[in-house]
Amino acid sequence: MIQITEAFVDDIAKIQEIAHITWPITYGEILTAEQLDYMLDLIYSDEALSRQIQNKEQLFYLISDSESVIGFIGIEHNYKNEAITKIHKIYLLPETQGKGYGKIVFEEIAKMAAENHSNELLLNVNRFNTALNFYKKLGFEIKETVDIEIGNGYLMEDYVMGKDI
C-alpha cells in the first residue's frame, strides 16, 4: 500500500535525493551529462524548490510505501486558469517500477484533480522517454509537440499529453 502526503520545505532534501537517483536513469541516454546537471540544478536547487513550495506554484507530495519515501509528484490545479491539473513532476524510484505504484499514483492525482474541479490531466514528457508508453496505457494522448528553451542552449523536446477525467 502506498501513501501520498503533502510535502513541505523540510522535505526538499528528500525530493532532491529522489530526483538525483531517478534522473540519470530516466534521462541518461537522452541528455548529455552537462544538460542533466544543468536541469537538475535549475529545477531542483534549494532555491527553486523553496520558491515553488512556498509560493504554491506547484503542490508537492511525497509517495511512500510501508518502509520509506519512494517518489514524489508536483502538480498544479487550475493550470492557466482552466479546469486542468498539470502534472509537472512525477518520479518513482527505479526499484518500485512494475509494481503498479505508478498507476495508483495517477488514480490519486485524478481524484485530487476532480476535487479541484479539473476535467483533464496534462503532462509533458520527453519525446524519447520510455515512460511515454506507460502514459499511453493510462489513456493519455499526445496533444502537441513542443521544444522549450531552458537556457544555456538547451531544449526540452517534449510531447504535451492529456487525458480527460
Side-chain angles (χ1 to χ4, degrees):
M1 192 62 182
I2 65 167
Q3 279 193 305
I4 299 175
T5 55
E6 189 172 354
F8 300 97
V9 172
D10 292 352
D11 298 309
I12 286 175
K14 191 47 136 173
I15 292 168
Q16 290 169 329
E17 177 187 336
I18 293 168
H20 283 269
I21 292 169
T22 57
W23 271 56
I25 293 164
T26 304
Y27 303 111
E29 295 182 11
I30 300 171
L31 307 175
T32 65
E34 293 78 16
Q35 184 172 354
L36 194 66
D37 289 343
Y38 174 81
M39 290 180 70
L40 277 168
D41 185 54
L42 180 73
I43 300 168
Y44 294 101
S45 68
D46 289 344
E47 297 78 18
L49 287 172
S50 291
R51 184 191 73 248
Q52 291 172 58
I53 291 170
Q54 290 174 332
N55 296 344
K56 302 262 188 223
E57 293 172 17
Q58 291 178 38
L59 302 173
F60 281 82
Y61 296 89
L62 297 178
I63 304 161
S64 304
D65 64 10
S66 59
E67 298 170 21
S68 63
V69 176
I70 58 169
F72 68 91
I73 57 176
I75 62 175
E76 178 184 355
H77 300 298
N78 198 33
Y79 180 68
K80 294 188 176 179
N81 294 315
E82 295 185 35
I84 296 171
T85 292
K86 172 84 182 243
I87 304 166
H88 290 281
K89 299 169 180 67
I90 179 165
Y91 292 99
L92 289 164
L93 292 173
E95 61 267 24
T96 67
Q97 293 178 2
K99 296 184 177 182
Y101 293 163
K103 185 176 184 216
I104 293 168
V105 171
F106 272 96
E107 289 168 358
E108 290 301 314
I109 292 170
K111 285 180 194 171
M112 287 188 264
E115 289 167 4
N116 284 276
H117 313 291
S118 292
N119 55 30
E120 183 180 12
L121 297 178
L122 205 62
L123 59 81
N124 284 30
V125 59
N126 181 287
R127 295 195 289 264
F128 307 102
N129 187 335
T130 55
L132 182 62
N133 293 324
F134 173 69
Y135 299 144
K136 286 181 178 177
K137 282 182 190 172
L138 292 177
F140 282 85
E141 296 178 358
I142 296 171
K143 298 175 66 101
E144 179 178 10
T145 301
V146 295
D147 290 329
I148 303 165
E149 291 186 32
I150 57 170
N152 228 30
Y154 296 125
L155 287 177
M156 288 195 319
E157 300 169 304
D158 289 353
Y159 289 127
V160 177
M161 300 184 80
K163 175 183 177 176
D164 292 338
I165 53 170

